[in-house]
Amino acid sequence: MSDIIHLLPDHIANQIAAGEVIQRPASVVKELMENAVDAGADQITVIIKDAGRTLVQVIDNGKGMSETDARMAFERHATSKIAAAEDLFSLRTMGFRGEALPSIAAVAQVELRTRVRGAELGTRLEIDGSELVDLAPDACAEGAIFSVKNLFFNIPARRKFLKSNETEFRNILTEFEHVVLAHPEITFRLVHGDTEVMNLPAAPLRRRIVDVFGKSFNRRLLPVETDTSLVKIEGFVGRIDAVRRRGYRNYFFVNGRYMRHPYFHKAVIRAYENLTPPGELPDYFIYLTLDPATIDVNIHPTKTEIKFENEQPIWQILSSAVRETLGKFNAAPSIDFDTEGAIDIPVYNPAADRTAVRQPSVEVNTRYNPFRAAPPLAADRNWEKLYQDFERDGRPALPEVDPPTAPSTTAPLFPEPTPAASNCFQFRNRYILTALKSGLVMIDQHRAHVRILYDRYLRNVRQHTAASQQLLFPELVELTASEAALLPSLLDDLHRLGFELSPMGGNSFSVTALPTGLPDTDPKRLLKELLDSAADALPAASDALTERLALALARSAAIRPGRPLSAEEMEEMVATLFSTDSNQLTPDGKPVLILLTDDELATRFK
């Protein structure tokens, strides 16, 4: 029997290993930006073409590399970050595995131009699918310029499974945001094609968050800060009144590295318990600084999963810090006595002249009879007789009962319905009660309206009959970079729903028309809600995305709980609801109505 186990060629082994580190163009951006940060750069520029398929270029002014270092940097497990196993427990750098550059070079055409600070000449190096093509001196700027071209050119299967340019660029934006939020002291610039997407000067952390996510974030943020012997926590959390069901921003950073940590996420959310509506979450930007020996970042090649030695104590410190912030800024309920309009109680002065103090006196008109002075009532009742024997036996005499034909002065407990409201009754301005052949039904008016509007919007989109209402004054909407990258893929769906948008340059868009039937709706808020909803649904097929947009629009336009409805409005809503095919559940599966059958009602009264 011949031997069947053999070593794979280096280029195949490199391509297989690259699959763990380089999954899409966004992975290249992440690794190259982190290398630039480790190189000590204070200015980093990222240039993207065709969402990273054609070019990913990262330019930094770091310390650069010599010719030997430039060549060694593309060898697997070659790194300047660690030299022994013990160094894994004192990491202060983003990278340490020595896998990023070899993985990139294995699946792309790479050009590196670099010059050490103070050197007269630099080095130019070209690698094509792990093979060195050229190595020569070069007159370049100090620092490094990495150009990654034709990603996955030698792995057609991987390239074929890349998503659309809009999707891939949004992933690039996500990784870009992780790095720029972790290092506000560095100037960053992002260019896509010929458009400058972001230009972020070095700034304090709060300013960096506002520069990335928009001016509206400035008023939402509450500072968090605590310093213990175990961990230092700083950053910002969102206000109670700024929580959202979708589109929230949740970020954790440890020692300048972005991480995902569901356990610490629960610590933050726990502080908001009973303060926010169910299902709505706050924004937060939490930065942890602690001894590197107490964490392990060598869990996954992407280095976003981190193990903590003192996980439970940090959880408690984090939760307490957030609670303290909410209490300090009056974001959490507290006992507060309102002194406005309170009685001014004079202070007793014992030195005052006691003879000047007069005892208060009350004059009483003994001849005053309130029953005789009162105006006559609509129904002539002898109210005086009610109290004539009160002093004798301590109980009032019962009034005489009017004949059945006499008009009543008090409303009956269950009034006879008027013809306009003969079938519907509104309870607590939230539920509609009506009778069916099978029993009594209670309808949630908001959910019922969501169901009706959702079906209407979908029908208009599919039949191309959506109507628009022109705005008297167009609304200018400023979007974040990630929202602006998402919007082009939604323009067709938004237009079919009745929106009309015009690009105004940069990340600005003008809203000139809205779908009909949206009274008193803020176009800016509505558009951002639709974008947040679409972002949560991605990746999704076109039909699923249209349905998600229709649902978000229906939620925004539907009547709110607590709004009184006229009899005609209730009748129309009930009739329209029961004319739909799916009237028992909302599009996202929540119950719209509750039916109490005749048998169930009879059982309740046994």
Side-chain angles (χ1 to χ4, degrees):
M1 180 178 177
S2 59
D3 298 331
I4 59 174
I5 297 178
H6 58 276
L7 290 174
L8 290 174
D10 289 341
H11 69 281
I12 296 179
N14 289 339
Q15 290 179 4
I16 294 174
E20 297 182 356
V21 182
I22 308 303
Q23 302 168 0
R24 59 196 336 148
S27 305
V28 178
V29 173
K30 170 185 179 295
E31 298 294 345
L32 294 183
M33 289 183 70
E34 290 182 347
N35 281 347
V37 171
D38 288 341
D42 59 12
Q43 294 182 3
I44 300 175
T45 300
V46 180
I47 299 175
I48 305 295
K49 289 186 179 180
D50 296 331
R53 286 180 169 86
T54 303
L55 175 67
V56 174
Q57 188 176 65
V58 176
I59 305 170
D60 69 73
N61 64 345
K63 58 188 177 183
M65 289 181 281
S66 65
E67 179 180 331
T68 303
D69 286 343
R71 179 66 187 89
M72 284 294 298
F74 291 93
E75 296 294 334
R76 189 163 297 278
H77 306 306
T79 179
S80 62
K81 315 298 173 58
I82 60 174
E86 293 75 13
D87 296 338
L88 289 173
F89 302 101
S90 58
L91 285 173
R92 295 285 182 181
T93 58
M94 298 297 100
F96 58 88
R97 290 172 174 267
E99 290 183 330
L101 291 181
S103 297
I104 295 172
V107 294
Q109 298 167 336
V110 180
E111 178 188 79
L112 168 62
R113 301 175 65 192
T114 181
R115 177 160 71 95
V116 178
R117 292 172 181 169
E120 294 183 359
L121 281 176
T123 301
R124 179 176 177 273
L125 178 147
E126 290 186 17
I127 295 180
D128 191 340
S130 295
E131 295 183 5
L132 180 62
V133 176
D134 189 22
L135 179 63
D138 186 62
C140 58
E142 293 180 349
I145 303 174
F146 281 92
S147 300
V148 179
K149 306 173 183 178
N150 300 323
L151 186 63
F152 302 132
F153 78 100
N154 53 354
I155 310 180
R158 177 66 65 87
R159 189 177 180 91
K160 181 180 66 175
F161 282 102
L162 291 178
K163 304 298 182 181
S164 65
N165 281 359
E166 290 82 4
T167 301
E168 294 299 338
F169 184 62
R170 284 197 303 273
N171 289 317
I172 290 174
L173 277 173
T174 299
E175 297 296 345
F176 185 84
E177 290 170 357
H178 292 168
V179 178
V180 302
L181 290 173
H183 302 281
E185 73 282 358
I186 299 177
T187 298
F188 290 93
R189 183 168 171 260
L190 175 62
V191 179
H192 187 205
D194 298 327
T195 304
E196 183 179 75
V197 180
M198 287 192 192
N199 193 338
L200 306 172
L205 177 58
R206 190 185 192 108
R207 174 63 184 276
R208 174 57 57 86
I209 295 173
V210 171
D211 288 344
V212 173
F213 297 114
K215 297 179 182 178
S216 62
F217 263 79
N218 191 34
R219 65 176 183 83
R220 301 181 188 175
L221 302 178
L222 301 175
V224 175
E225 187 172 2
T226 186
D227 195 354
T228 68
S229 58
L230 193 63
V231 62
K232 178 181 179 182
I233 300 176
E234 53 189 343
F236 298 92
V237 295
R239 298 176 59 89
I240 296 293
D241 55 0
V243 296
R244 292 176 287 177
R245 189 171 295 275
R246 59 184 61 83
Y248 41 79
R249 312 287 181 173
N250 296 160
Y251 293 92
F252 277 116
F253 301 90
V254 55
N255 293 349
R257 184 193 306 277
Y258 169 78
M259 71 167 181
R260 298 185 182 91
H261 208 291
Y263 185 58
F264 288 165
H265 171 77
K266 291 182 180 178
V268 177
I269 302 306
R270 179 68 63 86
Y272 285 81
E273 276 189 348
N274 302 323
L275 302 178
T276 58
E280 297 190 359
L281 299 178
D283 302 302
Y284 62 76
F285 304 83
I286 304 294
Y287 294 74
L288 309 178
T289 304
L290 65 165
D291 185 358
T294 63
I295 61 175
D296 185 4
V297 300
N298 191 25
I299 303 297
H300 191 273
T302 59
K303 300 182 284 291
T304 57
E305 299 177 15
I306 299 177
K307 295 291 185 181
F308 287 77
E309 180 181 340
N310 302 299
E311 194 172 65
Q312 187 172 0
I314 294 176
W315 191 98
Q316 297 173 344
I317 295 171
L318 176 60
S319 183
S320 299
V322 176
R323 290 178 184 272
E324 180 182 0
T325 293
L326 297 179
K328 183 187 301 182
F329 291 91
N330 293 326
S334 60
I335 299 177
D336 185 18
F337 298 98
D338 187 7
T339 58
E340 184 178 357
I343 299 175
D344 186 13
I345 302 176
V347 179
Y348 172 67
N349 185 4
D353 186 5
R354 298 179 182 273
T355 60
V357 178
R358 295 182 178 180
Q359 295 293 333
S361 60
V362 179
E363 296 182 1
V364 179
N365 183 5
T366 58
R367 301 177 61 185
Y368 175 72
N369 188 335
F371 301 106
R372 290 179 180 175
L377 299 175
D380 187 13
R381 292 176 180 268
N382 190 0
W383 291 104
E384 191 173 3
K385 185 179 179 181
L386 179 67
Y387 291 93
Q388 66 182 359
D389 297 327
F390 186 86
E391 295 181 355
R392 184 178 68 250
D393 57 5
R395 293 179 299 174
L398 294 176
E400 295 180 359
V401 179
D402 293 328
T405 58
S408 175
T409 59
T410 58
L413 184 60
F414 299 103
E416 287 294 328
T418 61
S422 58
N423 293 324
C424 298
F425 174 76
Q426 190 177 22
F427 179 68
R428 298 193 186 279
N429 291 339
R430 179 168 184 173
Y431 304 102
I432 299 173
L433 277 67
T434 187
L436 301 177
K437 291 182 179 180
S438 54
L440 178 68
V441 64
M442 178 180 288
I443 302 171
D444 187 305
Q445 65 185 38
H446 173 70
R447 293 182 180 178
H449 204 200
V450 168
R451 177 79 251 181
I452 294 169
L453 293 179
Y454 172 80
D455 292 340
R456 182 184 303 168
Y457 291 143
L458 276 188
R459 184 170 58 254
N460 291 342
V461 168
R462 290 164 182 167
Q463 297 177 358
H464 301 281
T465 57
S468 298
Q469 180 178 355
Q470 295 293 322
L471 298 179
L472 184 60
F473 300 102
E475 289 279 353
L476 185 65
V477 181
E478 294 281 348
L479 303 179
T480 65
S482 56
E483 290 171 341
L486 172 63
L487 186 57
S489 62
L490 303 177
L491 283 178
D492 290 341
D493 290 312
L494 291 175
H495 180 70
R496 287 195 292 267
L497 285 170
F499 287 88
E500 291 184 10
L501 303 173
S502 302
M504 302 299 291
N507 296 334
S508 300
F509 290 83
S510 175
V511 182
T512 58
L514 293 176
T516 56
L518 296 177
D520 303 326
T521 299
D522 182 5
K524 297 180 182 179
R525 178 188 59 80
L526 178 59
L527 184 59
K528 285 184 173 288
E529 286 180 358
L530 292 177
L531 291 173
D532 291 339
S533 179
D536 292 342
L538 293 175
S542 177
D543 290 343
L545 188 57
T546 302
E547 293 173 359
R548 189 65 178 260
L549 289 174
L551 176 56
L553 185 58
R555 285 172 174 164
S556 299
I559 58 174
R560 300 298 173 189
R563 174 186 159 184
L565 299 178
S566 66
E568 292 78 7
E569 288 175 325
M570 288 188 288
E571 292 279 1
E572 181 182 1
M573 181 177 294
V574 171
T576 307
L577 177 65
F578 284 104
S579 66
T580 61
D581 295 333
S582 303
N583 51 35
Q584 297 189 11
L585 297 174
T586 61
D588 52 348
K590 296 180 180 178
V592 172
L593 54 86
I594 297 175
L595 175 64
L596 292 176
T597 64
D598 294 338
D599 294 339
E600 289 176 325
L601 288 172
T603 303
R604 295 294 182 101
F605 285 99
K606 282 185 177 180

